Amino acid sequence: MICAVAHRREAGQTQKAAKSSDEHLNWKSGSRLTLCSGGLKWRSKKSKNQRRNLCCSFLLSMMRDSVFNCCVSPPHPPTGVDEHHQQRSRAQAPPPNDRRFLIFFDFDETLVDECSDDCMVTVAPGGVLPSWLKDTYRPGRYNEYMQRVLAYLAEQGVTPAAIRSTVEKLPPCPGIPTLMHFLLSQSSRDFEVVCVSDANTVFIETWLQHLGFRPLFLRIFTNPAHFDDNGQLQLRPFHSHECLRCPANMCKAVVVRQYVAQRMRERGGRPYQKVLYVGDGANDFCPSLTLSPGDIAFPRRDFPMHKLIQEMAEAKPGEFKASVVPWKSGEDVVNTLKKILERP
């Protein structure tokens, strides 16, 4: 497991407290909380849910006030981000402007039932990374670390075909195929579907194409990646931003806010009936704060996004504007979407 899939900007207070007990609390883009010894491996024999709850409780107790203040007052968009998105848009067909609902999906532990970066360890020789490589990870520099991992895999003869095959085998979260097929079966005027993820283009495109879900997604916002002439998977950060709580390479709140604003302009100022966000991690909590009353946040039950929403509801009642529908299976989301469609 790449336990250096950690939050790239750990709070100093959290990091100090964790180190004092020889257990490093890492936060990979907020998509999963992992309790690691030396930031590398699990030592706890607790169940997966027990470990997750332990991590969530510790992190939330250390970061409650600062997390809640993150991105509530949106910073000015970073220079160059709008231009980047406009260049991407110009290269694609004009989007349809008659969709009633806009729905965002995370990827890791929302569409797929694990962290896609972790699966890269399985293709390394012996299924492990050498200690010297793992020791190069530095907080706040995950993207650089992952580039070294990918370079190492290429040096060891791991081919693009092996990487793609491994990604294709990632299991979907419970009920996600049902949810995807439901969205594909709906009227073309119902849902505009977008992916916002801290994974990368190769992983997401490969997985969606393999399962036949790629045509559903109008846009995919994630870290750019491509195989170079030597077969090495090259990875770059998505953008820069000013949010203090999100990983250095991506703030999903910036992405969501800018995309909604851009689409509103393209739709002649006509708003969506609802904006929906489906996620699991702490970095999905940040964009959920951009939702308005009448919108819906779908946090994966008992995962960090859900925990943070609950903590905010207790600490600052009324601050979280959107309705909240926790999910264990994609079928829970389907049931809510059916109710939305029944309304005039």
Side-chain angles (χ1 to χ4, degrees):
M1 175 181 183
I2 304 176
C3 268
V5 272
H7 186 272
R8 298 148 196 172
R9 290 188 178 181
E10 291 105 321
Q13 185 180 12
T14 302
Q15 190 178 35
K16 181 178 179 181
K19 285 183 178 179
S20 66
S21 63
D22 193 35
E23 289 182 324
H24 294 250
L25 188 63
N26 294 325
W27 198 8
K28 191 269 179 188
S29 318
S31 66
R32 175 160 59 187
L33 295 169
T34 52
L35 183 64
C36 305
S37 175
L40 297 176
K41 294 182 179 179
W42 281 100
R43 288 200 311 192
S44 172
K45 295 183 179 179
K46 295 178 181 293
S47 70
K48 182 177 179 180
N49 286 338
Q50 287 174 321
R51 296 196 302 264
R52 183 186 302 120
N53 289 338
L54 175 63
C55 294
C56 289
S57 298
F58 184 86
L59 181 64
L60 294 172
S61 67
M62 302 299 294
M63 302 178 69
R64 183 175 291 113
D65 292 338
S66 56
V67 168
F68 293 161
N69 290 329
C70 165
C71 290
V72 175
S73 299
H76 294 295
T79 302
V81 173
D82 278 334
E83 180 181 355
H84 171 73
H85 290 170
Q86 288 168 4
Q87 290 174 347
R88 289 170 60 96
S89 297
R90 284 195 294 267
Q92 303 178 41
N97 291 327
D98 59 348
R99 304 289 169 88
R100 296 192 290 159
F101 307 105
L102 173 60
I103 181 167
F104 291 96
F105 283 95
D106 174 44
F107 183 69
D108 289 329
E109 296 193 291
T110 296
L111 294 182
V112 297
D113 202 17
E114 55 187 87
C115 175
S116 57
D117 284 335
D118 287 356
C119 76
M120 289 299 98
V121 177
T122 66
V123 299
V128 295
L129 296 176
S131 296
W132 64 263
L133 177 57
K134 291 184 286 189
D135 290 345
T136 65
Y137 171 73
R138 295 293 180 269
R141 301 294 179 187
Y142 172 76
N143 201 269
E144 296 172 10
Y145 169 78
M146 195 62 194
Q147 288 190 42
R148 289 191 290 272
V149 171
L150 296 171
Y152 170 78
L153 295 179
E155 291 169 359
Q156 298 304 307
V158 177
T159 64
I163 289 177
R164 290 187 185 278
S165 176
T166 301
V167 172
E168 289 173 352
K169 295 173 184 175
L170 288 170
C173 283
I176 285 299
T178 300
L179 173 54
M180 297 292 100
H181 287 300
F182 171 80
L183 291 170
L184 284 167
S185 70
Q186 298 308 298
S187 164
S188 61
R189 293 188 61 255
D190 286 334
F191 294 99
E192 180 174 322
V193 184
V194 174
C195 181
V196 183
S197 168
D198 199 13
N200 65 72
T201 53
V202 169
F203 289 0
I204 297 175
E205 294 276 1
T206 296
W207 193 83
L208 291 177
Q209 291 283 5
H210 180 67
L211 273 74
F213 301 147
R214 181 60 185 91
L216 180 63
F217 289 82
L218 181 65
R219 293 285 187 272
I220 296 175
F221 295 100
T222 188
N223 300 302
H226 72 281
F227 290 103
D228 65 17
D229 293 339
N230 296 319
Q232 178 178 330
L233 184 57
Q234 298 285 353
L235 176 67
R236 303 195 310 277
F238 178 74
H239 66 186
S240 61
H241 59 83
E242 299 173 2
C243 178
L244 299 179
R245 285 297 161 212
C246 286
N249 60 295
M250 173 176 270
C251 173
K252 294 183 180 182
V254 171
V255 178
V256 168
R257 190 181 302 114
Q258 291 188 348
Y259 182 78
V260 171
Q262 173 188 321
R263 296 294 289 120
M264 284 280 288
R265 292 192 296 270
E266 293 170 349
R267 290 161 59 94
R270 183 164 55 90
Y272 295 92
Q273 291 182 22
K274 288 183 183 295
V275 177
L276 319 168
Y277 192 100
V278 185
D280 72 283
N283 67 342
D284 296 309
F285 173 72
C286 199
S288 72
L289 294 174
T290 70
L291 301 179
S292 302
D295 296 337
I296 303 177
F298 292 93
R300 192 172 182 184
R301 187 177 294 276
D302 296 329
F303 277 64
M305 179 185 178
H306 187 206
K307 298 279 188 178
L308 287 166
I309 291 174
Q310 290 176 317
E311 287 282 331
M312 186 173 202
E314 294 176 4
K316 296 185 176 183
E319 282 291 314
F320 194 85
K321 303 301 183 183
S323 300
V324 179
V325 180
W327 62 279
K328 284 188 175 181
S329 167
E331 294 177 2
D332 300 329
V333 180
V334 171
N335 292 336
T336 299
L337 297 184
K338 287 180 177 179
K339 294 177 182 177
I340 292 174
L341 292 172
E342 291 172 357
R343 298 168 189 163

